[in-house]
Amino acid sequence: PITYMHWMEVTEESSVLTSFFNAEDESNLLLPKLPALPKNFSTTAKIFSEEKSDEIMKLMGDVRLNALVLGNNSGFIEIYAYGMYKIATVTGVAGSCLALCLSSDLKSLSVITRVEISPESEPEITYFQFDTSLLSTYLPEVTRMARKFTHISTLLQYIKLSLTCMCEAWEEILMQMDSRLTKFVQEKNTTTSVQDEFMQLLLWGKASLELQGLLMSQLTVKGLKKLGQSMESSYSSIQKLVISHLQSGSEALLYHLSELKGMALWKQKYESLGLDVTGIEEAITAVGSFILKANELLQVIDSSMKNFKAFFRWLYVAMLRMSEDHVPPELNKMTQKDITFVADFLTEHFNEAPELYNRKGKYFNVERVGQVMSGALGRDETTTC
């Protein structure tokens, strides 16, 4: 366990540091401001909501370096720039840390430890002073590396919360349809599946008594319109989160990783600090794959929305005919392409999957959207968000 913590701020002044501290971060000029996350989804996303947007900048670290020094009961000491980015580790110190002090110019680290020699004898109090002049010599470079790390960490959190909001919107679609279908499936006397019931209505224009009961008694024409609007809103929310949040966050992440790669290639300045270009290149490749996956998700959502709109328009007309209400002429025309969209929707979304029975989406699933989103999250495709 941690036995001592010490927080310090660098106060050394020099012409090089002054010009560095006063230099404006170019990312503020070159990158657009990250859009605030919607408050109506994840509660954790509220740290990136509109009224909290200034707090995002606080997570990205001050220009002037500050550091958190931690010591534990086994003499293990670590230094974290901005309390987030580990810049130094000290091992081999005997005893438990009683006190730590990193000088404000980063040139020395003072440590007081308590060493238990034996149960019978009194513990020894020892004092060490370590030379940390490497950190002092490379202070501008350490500061720039630490700020890049805090930018990247914050962007990863932003992207994660964007995905969480998308998953919540996706689950909302599943729950809304499932809540309408569960009672129908439980009460119907036929052995035909939900998909077959709707397919018969599409092909022959005639619904079974059970399906008519579901549509006219439980769902109703008014309820169908409300359900369609609600589902369209959820689809649009996912689409908007991908375009304005996921893509902008990924592009900003790619920018900072590219700058970090440039720093790693400047070996005279950064090699002695342990900055490795190989790991950064792997991260850049991963972000590129993530952006491609986000574009794939947009295509899947666009296709699903076309099918979804065609399905609800067709079902709305079918229910008007069941209730012998007037069907507007503009809705009465249905092309072969529209029928294909409806059939695709039924095939894709009403395909009962026993493996989903203990999860959301038992009778209505959005597996194509779910698979792409799981891929974006780096999860197994058989799991939901």
Side-chain angles (χ1 to χ4, degrees), residues 266-289:
W266 195 355
K267 295 186 178 181
Q268 180 187 355
K269 291 278 189 182
Y270 293 96
E271 188 174 34
S272 57
L273 298 176
L275 200 56
D276 176 35
V277 71
T278 306
I280 298 167
E281 286 176 341
E282 289 174 358
I284 289 172
T285 302
V287 173
S289 300

Side-chain angles (χ1 to χ4, degrees), residues 103-269:
S103 63
S104 59
D105 59 4
L106 290 185
K107 289 183 178 178
S108 66
L109 172 66
S110 301
V111 183
I112 298 176
T113 62
R114 175 192 178 102
V115 183
E116 300 282 352
I117 305 297
S118 66
E120 295 80 19
S121 61
E122 287 291 319
E124 289 185 1
I125 305 299
T126 58
Y127 171 81
F128 298 91
Q129 189 171 57
F130 294 96
D131 179 9
T132 56
S133 56
L134 179 68
L135 295 177
S136 177
T137 304
Y138 288 94
L139 177 57
E141 290 77 18
V142 170
T143 305
R144 194 175 291 276
M145 278 175 58
R147 279 181 60 76
K148 280 293 165 205
F149 179 83
T150 53
H151 273 90
I152 290 167
S153 296
T154 305
L155 286 168
L156 287 172
Q157 179 70 359
Y158 178 83
I159 290 169
K160 183 181 177 182
L161 290 173
S162 297
L163 285 167
T164 301
C165 292
M166 287 164 57
C167 285
E168 289 178 12
W170 176 66
E171 289 181 352
E172 185 67 24
I173 294 172
L174 297 181
M175 289 174 66
Q176 287 184 65
M177 284 300 288
D178 252 21
S179 64
R180 304 301 197 285
L181 295 173
T182 300
K183 189 176 180 182
F184 166 66
V185 174
Q186 290 172 344
E187 294 180 356
K188 72 185 178 77
N189 297 318
T190 58
T191 55
T192 53
S193 66
V194 178
Q195 184 188 91
D196 290 342
E197 293 276 356
F198 279 108
M199 277 292 189
Q200 287 179 20
L201 177 59
L202 176 65
L203 294 173
W204 314 116
K206 189 173 182 181
S208 66
L209 294 175
E210 286 87 354
L211 185 58
Q212 280 191 41
L214 165 74
L215 296 176
M216 305 310 297
S217 303
Q218 296 178 34
L219 188 57
T220 73
V221 174
K222 187 177 179 181
L224 178 70
K225 287 181 73 175
K226 188 176 179 182
L227 176 63
Q229 289 168 356
S230 180
M231 286 187 63
E232 186 174 0
S233 174
S234 295
Y235 266 118
S236 298
S237 294
I238 298 175
Q239 202 170 37
K240 184 180 177 183
L241 282 162
V242 174
I243 295 169
S244 62
H245 297 77
L246 212 58
Q247 288 185 336
S248 59
S250 301
E251 287 164 5
L253 184 59
L254 194 59
Y255 169 87
H256 287 293
L257 284 171
S258 299
E259 277 212 334
L260 200 60
K261 180 183 175 182
M263 290 159 59
L265 291 171
W266 195 355
K267 295 186 178 181
Q268 180 187 355
K269 291 278 189 182

